[in-house]
Amino acid sequence: MKIVCIGGGPAGLYFGLLMKKLNPAHDITVVERNKPYDTFGWGVVFSDATMDNMRVWDPVSAAEIQQAFNHWDDIETHIKGEVIRSGGHGFVGIGRKKLLNILQARCEALGVKLVFEADVQSDEDYPDADLIIASDGINSRIRGRYEAVFKPDIVTRPNRYIWLGTKRLYDAFTFLFEKTEHGWFQAHIYKFDETTSTFIVECPEHVWQAHGLDQADQAQSIAFCEKLFAQNLQGHALMTNARHLRGSAWLNFQRVKCEQWSHFNGRSHVVLMGDAVHTAHFAIGSGTKLAIEDAIELTRQFKELGDAPAHIPDVLARYQALRAVDVLRLQNAAWNAMEWFEACGERYCDQLPPPQFVYSMLTRSQRISHENLRLRGKAWLEGYERWFAAQAGLNVPQAVPPMFTPYTVKGTTLKNRVMVSPMAQYSAVDGLVGDYHLVHLGARALGGAGLVMVEMTAPNAEGRITPGCPGLWNDAQQAAFTRIVDWVHQHSSAKIALQLGHAGPKGSTCAPWQGGGMDQALPAGGAEDNWPLLAASAQPYLPDGQVPRAMTRADMDAVRDTLVASTRRAAECGFDWLELHCAHGYLLSSFISPLTNRREDDYGGSLENRLRYPLEVLRAVRAAWPAQLPLSVRISAHDWVEGGITPDDAVAMARAFKAAGADMIDVSSGQVSPAQKPVYGRMFQTPFADRVRQEAGIATIAVGAISEADHVNSIIAAGRADLCAVARPHLANPAWTLTEAAKIGYTPVEWPRAYVSGKSQMESLFAREKAQAAAVPGLSAAEQANRAAGL
C-alpha cells in the first residue's frame, strides 16, 4: 500500500512506523508543515496503561521513550494554605519535542519517508495514495474539506488557558489554586524532562477579562502569571514557546468529535486520526494517549483483516466501530474533568474544606472511584475516611466508609447515608396501605438503610396516580400508616419518611401491569372510573391523554389545604421525615416547568411566577410539620427537553425552596415530558445534586443509577450530595446496604439481631471472591488502579 500521513504529530508518526513494521513493503510518507525540531507545546502526558500498549507494539521506541520520560505516582494540591499529596496515580510525562524526535528517528530507521516544511492544502495532493491519514490537528484542513461527510461536532469551552513552561522542577503532578479579587485561577504542572516543567494556567472568562488579560500581550500575561504564582515558583520564570501566535497566547479548549471518521475521495481512502477526529481536555491529559491508541488500533485491524488495498473499507469500518467506544468513554471522562475545572472557582474552591476539595478533584472524571483511590493509595484514603468520619461526629480509630457515617438534619439523625427511594408499588386499595406495604417497607428497614421513604402518597382520591396508589386523607389510612411506622421503629434502627404529592395531570392512569400500562388513562367502563384532573394548564401529559383542568385560585386553595391536612396526619403517624413532591410532571411540578405551565396570570411566565404556588404550598406544609423534623423537596433539575427546566433553573429553584423552609433538596430529573431525551449513565443525575448543593448552599439527595457502595462512597466523600437514594437495587435486594457493606469488607455494621448468624457467612463469601479476583501479580498499585479505571 501507498500510505501518506498528513501531519507529523504522534498519531501520524506512530501509525507510520507501526505499519512499516507490519509490512516493510508499504510505501509510507509522513508530511509535516513545520521544521524537524519545531514544536509548539511543552510536555505531554499519558498513562502507564498506554505505555504498556506501546511496549507491545514497538519495544524499540517504547524503550527510548521510557528512558526519556518522567514517571510520577503522586498528585500534590495547594489550596487555601494547605498542601495535600496523594499517591499511586501512575502517569508518564515527556517533552513533546523529545517524543516527536524519538518517533521521527524510529520512522527513519524503518524506512518511513519524512517530509518537513510542506504545508499540505488537500488530500488530492496525493492522488496515487491508497490510504491518507489526516492527522493534521484540531484545525484539520482535510476534515474541513469534507465537513459534510465527517460531520464534526466542535464545542468551544468558556475557560481561558495559557500553556507555559518553567525551569522549576516538580516531583509530583501539581495543582495550584490561587484566589484573586476577581476569582480563582488554577495551574496544572508536571515535570517532563530533567530541566523543565509544563505550567498550564487556567481561569474562567470573566476572571480573565476582569484582570485585563484580554488586552494583555504574551509578555504581560506571563508577568501576571509569575506574580500570581510567585510564592510557588520560588524565583523561577515562566516561559512560552508560542511566539508564533498573534497577540495573546490565551486559548479556549475545543472539544472535537466526528460522526464519521473516514471517506473515499474517489481515488484514496481518507481517515481522520488524533486531534483531527477527537480531542480530550488536558484536565486528564489524554490527547497524546488518544492519538497513540488510534494508531495502534488501526494497525491492529490491518493486521487482523489484511493490509492490502482491497481490505481498506472493511478495516476502516471496523476501526471506527471499535475505537469509537473507547474514545467516547475517555471523552466523557475528560468532559467531566473539564467541567469540574471550569466550575471549581464558583462551586468548590470556597465551599469545600481542602481535604474534601482534593477528593472531589481526584474523582472529577467519575472514572476514578472510592475503591479505585484505595488501590492507588490506601493510607491516604483511610486518612481521608477518618477525617470525613470526624466531620460527621464519629470519634473512632478505624477508617469508616463515608456511606456508613451518620447524618443529622434538624432533630433527626440517620445511621448512614443510604435512603431507600420512594418507589410506587400500586398495591393500595382506596388509598389504604396494607400487609404488602408493611412487608415491603419493613424488609427494607431491616436491610440496613438509614432512611426508608414511602412512595408518593396523595392528599385526596383525585391526587393519586393510579387506583393502587396510597393516600392519607382519612382515619383508616392514617391508622394503616401508623402501624407501619410503629413496626419500623420497633424492629429496626432505620428512620421512615413519607413523600407527599398530588399527581395532577399524570393521575387517573393504569398500573404498569394493567390496562394500557404506565401513564395510560384508565379504560372507560373499567373497574375504576376516570376522575377529573387538575394542572397548572390544560395540557395533557401524553398527547392523547386526558386533558386536565387549569387550576383556579379556589382549586389552589383546596389542594394546598388537603396537603396541609395530610401533613398533620403524617406527623400524627410518627413519620420522622416528610418530602414534598415537586418533580416528574406531577401537580406542583406542572407549575414549575415552562413545558407544562402556559398560564398568563401571576402563576405563569417567569420562573419566579411559576414557583409562586409550589412555594406557597411548601410554606403551608412547613408550618404544619413539626419544626424539629426534616422536610425535603424533590425537584426535576432538568427536563431533558429544549425549552424546559435546566440545571441553572434548578439552582434558583433550590434557593427559593430553601428560603421557604426546605431542609434538603432531593435532586431528580425528567419525567415531565414524554419528549425527554435523557443522557443515561451511572450516577447520571448526581452532577445536578452536586451543583445544587454547592451553588444553592443546601444539603442534597442524589438519585439515579446509583447501584453499588463504590458509587455512594464516591458521591458522599466528594460532597456531591449528603444522602444517596437507591431505588431498583432495593427492589432486587431489600438488604442491599448490608450486602454492600459485606462486599467492601466493612464489618462493624449493625444487623438485625435475628439475622446476625448470616452476617459472618456473607462476609466470608465476599472476602473469598475478592481474594480470587486479586490483581495480576507484579503490577504496581498505580498500574492496577489505572487498569481498573480504564486509563
Side-chain angles (χ1 to χ4, degrees), residues 172-422:
F173 199 123
T174 301
F175 293 101
L176 309 179
F177 294 86
E178 291 287 347
K179 189 175 186 179
T180 71
E181 66 271 26
H182 298 300
W184 287 86
F185 285 78
Q186 58 257 12
H188 312 238
I189 312 164
Y190 55 90
K191 174 185 170 184
F192 63 83
D193 65 26
E194 293 307 311
T195 63
T196 323
S197 300
T198 289
F199 201 106
I200 307 169
V201 180
E202 181 186 11
C203 68
E205 178 87 5
H206 68 90
V207 177
W208 182 72
Q209 290 181 343
H211 280 284
L213 292 168
D214 54 331
Q215 304 298 318
D217 61 22
Q218 289 193 46
Q220 291 168 326
S221 292
I222 291 170
F224 174 87
C225 293
E226 286 176 340
K227 182 178 179 181
L228 178 63
F229 296 105
Q231 183 176 356
N232 186 269
L233 283 168
Q234 300 175 359
H236 290 274
L238 292 174
M239 308 175 292
T240 181
N241 60 12
R243 302 294 181 189
H244 63 293
L245 295 179
R246 295 180 180 178
S248 172
W250 293 87
L251 304 171
N252 295 90
F253 175 75
Q254 289 187 308
R255 194 290 317 277
V256 176
K257 63 178 181 179
C258 294
E259 184 176 318
Q260 179 66 26
W261 292 18
S262 62
H263 170 61
F264 183 63
N265 67 11
R267 291 183 296 274
S268 308
H269 291 275
V270 181
V271 59
L272 302 178
M273 189 177 286
D275 283 352
V277 67
H278 46 56
T279 58
H281 193 264
F282 56 81
I284 64 170
S286 291
T288 303
K289 170 189 172 71
L290 283 173
I292 294 289
E293 293 182 351
D294 283 350
I296 290 172
E297 188 57 49
L298 186 52
T299 305
R300 188 198 317 276
Q301 294 312 314
F302 276 115
K303 183 178 180 180
E304 292 182 0
L305 298 181
D307 62 347
H311 296 123
I312 293 176
D314 290 340
V315 165
L316 295 183
R318 188 171 170 190
Y319 165 67
Q320 179 175 344
L322 293 174
R323 186 80 185 111
V325 176
D326 285 339
V327 168
L328 180 60
R329 188 173 67 240
L330 197 74
Q331 281 192 310
N332 286 343
W335 185 276
N336 292 336
M338 172 192 70
E339 285 193 321
W340 189 95
F341 279 106
E342 288 174 351
C344 67
E346 181 180 6
R347 203 174 293 169
Y348 306 115
C349 291
D350 291 310
Q351 290 89 332
L352 300 181
Q356 190 167 48
F357 177 87
V358 169
Y359 184 100
S360 177
M361 186 188 72
L362 293 176
T363 58
R364 64 192 179 274
S365 72
Q366 294 188 28
R367 290 183 75 178
I368 296 175
S369 66
H370 195 76
E371 292 308 312
N372 191 268
L373 282 177
R374 197 180 307 281
L375 279 175
R376 293 168 185 271
K378 185 171 185 245
W380 180 85
L381 183 65
E382 289 184 352
Y384 179 74
E385 287 178 332
R386 284 189 287 272
W387 175 89
F388 189 90
Q391 311 311 301
L394 287 182
N395 183 20
V396 293
Q398 76 270 28
V400 178
M403 69 181 285
F404 291 107
T405 58
Y407 187 73
T408 299
V409 191
K410 291 287 187 68
T412 299
T413 297
L414 307 181
K415 64 182 178 181
N416 61 47
R417 307 301 186 99
V418 179
M419 177 181 117
V420 176
S421 282

Side-chain angles (χ1 to χ4, degrees), residues 3 5 10-21 28-30 107 110 112 133 295 299:
I3 301 171
C5 300
L13 289 168
Y14 203 61
F15 179 72
L17 75 86
L18 291 184
M19 285 299 288
K20 194 68 173 176
K21 243 190 98 181
I28 304 175
T29 303
V30 178
C107 280
L110 290 169
V112 175
I133 305 296
T299 305

Side-chain angles (χ1 to χ4, degrees), residues 8 47 172 196-197 263 285 359 421 433 498 510 553 614 617 667 674 681 689 740-741:
S47 69
T196 323
S197 300
H263 170 61
Y359 184 100
S421 282
V433 294
L498 180 78
C510 298
R553 183 61 251 189
V617 171
V667 188
E740 291 299 303

Side-chain angles (χ1 to χ4, degrees), residues 48 69 73 75 159 188 204 264 277 293 302 390 395 417 424 496 512 617 747 753 766:
D48 284 342
F69 71 45
D73 280 337
I75 290 178
N159 267 22
H188 312 238
F264 183 63
V277 67
E293 293 182 351
F302 276 115
N395 183 20
R417 307 301 186 99
I496 184 166
V617 171
T747 58
R753 61 186 181 185
F766 282 125

